[in-house]
Amino acid sequence: EGAGSCAEVNLMPSDIVNFPMAEYADADVILVADIHRGGVFAQIIGTLHCLPQKYRDMVKGFIINRFRGDIALFKDGVEWIEKETGKRVLGVLPWYSHFKIDAEDSVEIENCLNLNDLRPDVPAIAVIRLPHIANFTDFHALSRINGLQVVYIDRPHHLNQFRAVILPGSKNTRADLEWLMQNFKKPLEAYARSEGHIFGICGGYQMLGEFVDDPDGLEGHPGKTDALGLLPVQTVLKAPKTTTRSQFEWEGKKGEGYEIHMGYTFLKGGIPMLDILSRNSNPCTDRDGCMLINKKIAGTYIHGFFDSSPVLSKWLEGLGLDLFCPDEGFTSLKEKSYALLRAHFESHVDLTHIL
């Protein structure tokens, strides 16, 4: 990044993730500058001048990112950068609009639908905006369904206007659970009594249970935090972290996602939600998640749950919604988008000086 980060002089003595990592790996460094933010020349020259000489020597070149307009008009800019720094500009990447890739978490929140903009005649899904919310990509497939609104909420006003409320993943489950208990417990209980649909993913699944126990203090101080009690499950956080690509089946509908979580969740009632067919390509016969008998409240550890069109269609049908889901699943669409990103990069960056 050319806007700061790797050249924060006040943090450099304790920095372990930027140049020290590259130095440890004996790796070359490419500085990427975001021209869309403006001041691209100052980004590059300023960053280099803030670096000690040993780090400056590790920078082998620059890439100018997010360029709008005619690249030919930036030819003089490229020449100036190369003359002033003595290093190559390896490419200028134009702004793209012919494909979409996953956004950063903060960008996703900034661009989400405002609660005041909801149309009362169009069904809506609410995702609770936890303080440490994670894995926003879980809801991209929902967001592209025509005739469906997806909104992030941080206040429990009028939950009955939503066809379903989703509890997402979290970077700190117990801290977010305490916030949730303080702000959403009674409204979610009332929503559940009115037979509203509630769905939890990963940390959100854990929060729907009876408690989350962290005996080893993996997320902070050791202890047990009472949960919502909407699902008959209990969670104990334990190392190591589970990280798998997982294929699953939900009542005849197959999908694929991933798991990334600490610990285990034990069912004390209800029914398992999913059959796990494989983890990291290894066949298995495990079960995942929990669902009440009436199927109104459920949870799973599977991220990317909605990315399979048959699974998404089945979930929407359970809400009483008959909406068209594209035959091409969201996973396949993402793979095509990343292939287009690769082609876009290769056509504008001189790879002979990188590889």
Side-chain angles (χ1 to χ4, degrees), residues 54-346:
K54 68 172 183 176
Y55 289 164
R56 202 177 306 172
D57 292 340
M58 292 169 61
V59 177
K60 303 306 178 185
F62 314 103
I63 293 175
I64 311 299
N65 195 23
R66 303 213 297 174
F67 183 89
R68 289 182 182 269
D70 185 354
I71 291 181
L73 299 179
F74 195 65
K75 182 175 180 293
D76 291 345
V78 169
E79 293 174 350
W80 186 88
I81 292 170
E82 292 183 337
K83 178 182 177 182
E84 291 296 318
T85 64
K87 302 178 186 292
R88 294 181 61 91
V89 174
L90 301 170
V92 180
L93 280 170
W95 192 281
Y96 60 81
S97 57
H98 57 295
F99 59 91
K100 180 181 179 180
I101 60 173
D102 293 336
E104 294 182 54
D105 287 359
S106 59
V107 174
E108 194 78 9
I109 281 290
E110 291 166 4
N111 295 335
C112 70
L113 185 65
N114 191 292
L115 189 61
N116 296 325
D117 296 330
L118 282 179
R119 291 177 51 188
D121 58 326
V122 178
I125 306 293
V127 180
I128 296 181
R129 182 175 164 176
L130 301 170
H132 304 93
I133 187 172
N135 305 95
F136 292 80
T137 55
D138 284 340
F139 313 112
H140 285 179
L142 281 173
S143 299
R144 71 183 185 122
I145 299 297
N146 291 327
L148 183 68
Q149 303 174 101
V150 178
V151 60
Y152 290 90
I153 62 172
D154 55 14
R155 288 171 293 178
H157 295 326
H158 308 298
L159 294 184
N160 286 331
Q161 67 183 305
F162 300 108
R163 290 298 186 98
V165 175
I166 299 177
L167 278 62
S170 169
K171 300 182 182 77
N172 191 317
T173 301
R174 289 180 64 208
D176 280 349
L177 177 54
E178 291 176 356
W179 176 87
L180 191 70
M181 294 288 284
Q182 180 179 352
N183 295 279
F184 275 84
K185 178 176 170 57
K186 291 183 178 180
L188 282 173
E189 289 174 342
Y191 184 71
R193 287 194 298 270
S194 68
E195 297 195 344
H197 290 263
I198 304 175
F199 187 54
I201 298 178
C202 198
Y205 167 40
Q206 296 173 340
M207 295 179 204
L208 285 173
E210 297 173 2
F211 61 75
V212 176
D213 189 10
D214 185 7
D216 300 323
L218 299 176
E219 290 192 344
H221 294 294
K224 181 187 294 186
T225 303
D226 289 336
L228 293 167
L230 297 176
L231 278 179
V233 300
Q234 301 172 350
T235 297
V236 178
L237 302 182
K238 283 285 186 180
K241 178 174 287 188
T242 297
T243 54
T244 65
R245 289 288 302 178
S246 302
Q247 293 182 319
F248 65 90
E249 184 172 347
W250 180 29
E251 297 180 354
K253 306 299 182 182
K254 293 184 178 180
E256 182 175 357
Y258 66 95
E259 299 175 58
I260 178 167
H261 61 89
M262 301 287 281
Y264 307 92
T265 295
F266 304 95
L267 274 64
K268 299 298 180 179
I271 55 176
M273 183 177 182
L274 307 177
D275 294 308
I276 302 299
L277 306 179
S278 70
R279 284 191 170 100
N280 293 336
S281 301
N282 297 314
C284 65
T285 57
D286 297 338
R287 312 296 295 277
D288 172 78
C290 179
M291 184 166 51
L292 296 186
I293 300 299
N294 64 8
K295 301 184 179 181
K296 298 287 187 179
I297 302 177
T300 176
Y301 273 120
I302 300 292
H303 293 287
F305 177 81
F306 298 116
D307 289 355
S308 165
S309 288
V311 172
L312 177 55
S313 293
K314 177 176 174 56
W315 189 78
L316 291 173
E317 288 169 3
L319 305 183
L321 298 175
D322 182 18
L323 298 174
F324 173 74
C325 296
D327 292 334
E328 183 179 37
F330 198 66
T331 299
S332 175
L333 184 64
K334 286 195 290 187
E335 290 173 351
K336 289 184 178 180
S337 294
Y338 280 108
L340 290 171
L341 176 62
R342 173 183 174 178
H344 181 72
F345 184 88
E346 290 177 343

